[in-house]
Amino acid sequence: MANPSNRGQWSGRVGFILAAAGSAIGLGNIWRFPYSAGEGGGGLFVIIYLGFVLVIGVPVMLAELAIGRKTERNPVGAFKALVPSSWWPAVGGLGVLTGFGILAFYSVIAGWTLGYLGMATSGYLSQAVDADASGSIFSTFVANPMFAIALAGAFLLLTITVVRGGISGGIERIAKILMPVLFVLLIVLAVRSISLPNGLDGISYLFTPDWSELSLSVVMGALGQALFSLSLGMGAMITYGSYMPKHENLWKAGTYVALADTTIAILAGLIIFPALFFAGAEPGSGPGLVFVVLPTIFNQMPFGYIVAVAFFALLAIAALTSTISLLEVLVSYFVDERGWTRERASWLIGTGCFLLAVPSALAFGAVPALSGGEDGWIAWDFLTLNNNIWGNYSLSIGAFLICVFAGWKWGVPKLLDALEDGDGRIYPLPARGMFGVLIKVVCPLAVLIVLIFIVVTGSYF
Ligand code: TRP
């Protein structure tokens, strides 16, 4: 077992916040959030999502960070350290498994972003003059098994290269470069998009709830999205918290990360929805939304070539800092628990994820059995299935168990102690009391109710 002091650390709070925000901000914000909101009735989805971020996301974020920093371990080791010889480490085990599951489909979409970046740069995307042309570019592209597999592999290779460099020398260093670039690109694109004709209609779609759209799948989607977007429910924040120096303030750091992630999701909405309304396109068109709809819109706007290149560069950057965190969870497990070197774990696990990604890479027409039949990429494909199982259900179950653990097994007093390590108890009593109620009662109950409703009504997907 590795000695905790050799595991590496963030250089300080800023390094941690950038790396953790890099984990949280990803395809979840820019690809998944807009299409989920589009399918969930726009403003309605957004309001429920924001509620979940505030009431469930922030407390679970703080709980994960506290567990991680206290134990200085990966998710499995963290539970082992706190409650040895119990079944709790299995919760960490579920997290590690979920990490494999998410990375297996995430790296495929991340590969698409590289492909689209290439197509945008070479000017090929200028052929996406209308929805039909763009749709056929997309379906031809994703159905090409060589492209899909090679690009997912290339993306994982990039990820491995960073993760093998370690915490401050690899992950933190790249986050410090990429996150500011990402932010600037987002602002530029949002300004461009909002100033388009009809842009304001997109904004009102994003913020005006239509309560008649309310359904269980919208609520489940919003819960899954809140957890997925904040990288919660599988121990990623346990892992990132485990590299946090003891004297740093976790309350603030965790809240900043949640705030940054949510701001960027909304910013992504402000890029995509005004552009959709400008072009008169359909918000509810599913996972193909940013890949099919946006290129046609880029072709209709002034400076569209540059906007397209910037957008897909942005998407690739956001995805990279997230795949890094997913791989890091897996690597930290094999380093801490199995005594592997970081170098070996990065390469072997990264390769393993590549093999797991192959079925998802083939799920868009290359292999019909994985593609869900006639409906192709909209309905039942292997990738969407993975996205649901790991990205909604597994994270929800994980978040529920983490709340029960933190609130009841470990206990609120110890949790508060771990959060406040280093900077004394400067938090006013009401904040501490409210946090206790949220983590013990509100969060686990809310997640449980959603899950029970899903099972009872049979509305799984
Ligand atoms: N949060 C990332 C996104 O929004 C994805 C991600 C990275 C993630 N690490 C995670 C999701 C851990 C769940 C758990 O794209």
Side-chain angles (χ1 to χ4, degrees), residues 190-430:
V191 170
R192 171 70 278 223
S193 191
I194 293 169
S195 58
L196 288 167
N198 298 331
L200 295 179
D201 293 349
I203 298 184
S204 79
Y205 177 80
L206 192 61
F207 293 116
T208 319
D210 171 2
W211 292 98
S212 68
E213 296 263 351
L214 188 61
S215 74
L216 206 55
S217 69
V218 172
V219 177
M220 183 66 221
L223 173 64
Q225 178 60 26
L227 296 172
F228 186 87
S229 189
L230 293 168
S231 301
L232 297 175
M234 59 152 276
M237 289 299 160
I238 295 184
T239 309
Y240 271 28
S242 77
Y243 304 122
M244 183 72 149
K246 293 283 186 199
H247 61 269
E248 297 287 353
N249 184 322
L250 279 184
W251 290 89
K252 273 193 201 153
T255 313
Y256 285 156
V257 172
L259 198 67
D261 183 67
T262 311
T263 310
I264 301 268
I266 298 293
L267 257 179
L270 292 179
I271 294 174
I272 287 151
F273 288 102
L276 287 180
F277 278 75
F278 158 70
E282 175 53 49
S285 59
L289 184 69
V290 302
F291 294 100
V292 177
V293 180
L294 286 185
T296 61
I297 298 168
F298 294 148
N299 282 324
Q300 298 171 35
M301 50 167 88
F303 306 108
Y305 171 82
I306 296 170
V307 177
V309 173
F311 179 80
F312 288 109
L314 167 91
L315 211 51
I317 289 173
L320 181 61
T321 48
S322 297
T323 52
I324 288 170
S325 79
L326 286 160
L327 184 60
E328 175 58 29
V329 173
L330 310 176
V331 164
S332 76
Y333 167 76
F334 283 91
V335 169
D336 290 349
E337 304 301 310
R338 303 290 167 105
W340 293 14
T341 62
R342 171 168 286 275
E343 180 79 21
R344 173 186 158 134
S346 306
W347 284 107
L348 285 184
I349 304 305
T351 309
C353 289
F354 172 64
L355 297 178
L356 288 174
V358 170
S360 291
L362 298 178
F364 284 78
V367 175
L370 296 169
S371 313
E374 314 92 63
D375 283 342
W377 54 274
I378 296 181
W380 261 93
D381 56 84
F382 191 71
L383 190 145
T384 311
L385 191 66
N386 261 326
N387 184 5
N388 259 310
I389 294 179
W390 304 109
N392 280 338
Y393 294 106
S394 191
L395 293 182
S396 305
I397 294 168
F400 169 75
L401 292 169
I402 288 167
C403 291
V404 172
F405 175 81
W408 298 91
K409 178 72 190 168
W410 200 28
V412 175
K414 285 189 185 148
L415 180 60
L416 287 172
D417 259 1
L419 269 178
E420 291 170 345
D421 253 355
D423 77 337
R425 290 199 176 84
I426 55 168
Y427 287 89
L429 218 56

